[in-house]
């Protein structure tokens, strides 16, 4: 009998999955670092999620990323859920441990912070209040990471105000809820602004707020990355703000998983950004 080498397999599970840029991203890193491993997209129907997840470690998988629509459902299947994933209510990264246990984590908040820090190294969330627009899954990851980094106050505003109020109940006293795009006072003295809504995305209306009351040199981040320069970022630049586009969040959230599965901490480079943009 031939002895086969252990080749680490990882991938991304979701449905549909063909549009996912993760295989290109991880494939680029595997090639760049000369790692013998594979990263495979897997389309899984909801009713088969647990069966397939339990089969993957036996097939040589060391973990996987998780995308829509399974990010919440995997929490109920995982044997261990990180505090961060539990707070966000979703996981995007699974680690299959040698003892067969599935560990669920969420690295979206890490990706958000790492992206802004790479673009603006002297930015720190504890510099002053943050203003976050939106109350969906992306907002939850952003809130969790800002709180973890010591942000003193997070002002949130969402079209459906009840969703923002629910976030205040869940995330606690440092969250302050504002009416939807009563942005004038919401932005007063804010050091960080984040748009987590889908406004500004190709095919959606622009996201517009008056930015004149912000702290001088405030950081404005749009998690939308199609297009890279949204109307919000263009206006912010004109107003003297420091701006960060959303593409890096997608790239940085993949770093912890790759490191864990393949044993090498990958870098997010300009070349990688261009590859993903053109993919
Ligand atoms: P994600 O997980 O990517 O955050 P989501 O849960 O669908 O996605 O959230 C999308 C966010 O964009 C929500 O905050 C949503 O506002 P509602 O909670 O009111 O739906 C916001 N959004 C989407 N389209 C919008 C629009 N046309 N105007 C204002 N907000 C919008």
């Amino acid at each position: 009998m031939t002895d086969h080498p252990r080749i680490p397999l990882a991938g991304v599970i979701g449905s549909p999955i063909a549009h996912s840029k993760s295989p290109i991203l991880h494939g680029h890193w595997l090639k760049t670092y000369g790692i013998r491993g594979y990263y495979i997209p897997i389309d899984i129907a909801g009713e088969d999620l647990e069966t397939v997840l339990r089969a993957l470690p036996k097939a040589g998988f060391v973990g996987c990323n998780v995308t829509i629509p399974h990010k919440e459902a995997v929490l109920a299947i995982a044997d261990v859920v990180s505090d961060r994933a539990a707070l966000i209510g979703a996981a995007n990264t699974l680690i299959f441990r040698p003892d067969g246990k599935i560990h669920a984590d969420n690295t979206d908040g890490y990706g958000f912070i790492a992206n802004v820090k790479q673009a603006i190294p002297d930015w720190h969330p504890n510099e002053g209040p943050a203003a976050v627009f939106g109350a969906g899954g992306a907002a939850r990851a952003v809130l969790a990471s800002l709180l973890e980094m010591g942000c003193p106050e997070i002002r949130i505003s969402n079209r459906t105000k009840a969703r923002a109020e629910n976030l205040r109940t869940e995330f606690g006293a440092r969250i302050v809820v504002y009416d939807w795009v009563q942005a004038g006072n919401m932005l007063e003295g804010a050091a960080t602004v984040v748009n987590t809504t889908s406004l500004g995305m190709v095919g959606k209306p622009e996201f517009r707020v008056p930015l004149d009351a912000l702290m001088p040199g405030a950081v404005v981040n749009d998690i939308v990355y199609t297009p890279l320069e949204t109307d919000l970022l263009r206006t912010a630049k004109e107003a003297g703000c420091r701006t960060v586009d959303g593409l890096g969040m997608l790239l940085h959230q993949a770093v912890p998983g790759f490191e864990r599965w393949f044993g090498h901490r990958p870098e997010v480079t300009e070349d990688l950004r261009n590859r993903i943009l053109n993919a």
Side-chain angles (χ1 to χ4, degrees), residues 133-139 158-160 163 180 196-199 204-205 223:
F133 293 93
N158 191 53
R159 176 179 62 179
T160 311
R163 285 185 93 190
W180 176 236
T196 75
T197 75
S198 46
L199 289 174
K204 283 272 204 168
I223 69 156

Side-chain angles (χ1 to χ4, degrees), residues 258-276:
F258 186 93
E259 181 177 22
R260 193 66 195 253
W261 304 321
F262 299 116
H264 186 97
R265 190 163 182 86
E267 272 187 70
V268 174
T269 60
E270 198 53 38
D271 172 48
L272 178 61
R273 276 176 60 90
N274 290 330
R275 275 169 195 269
I276 296 298

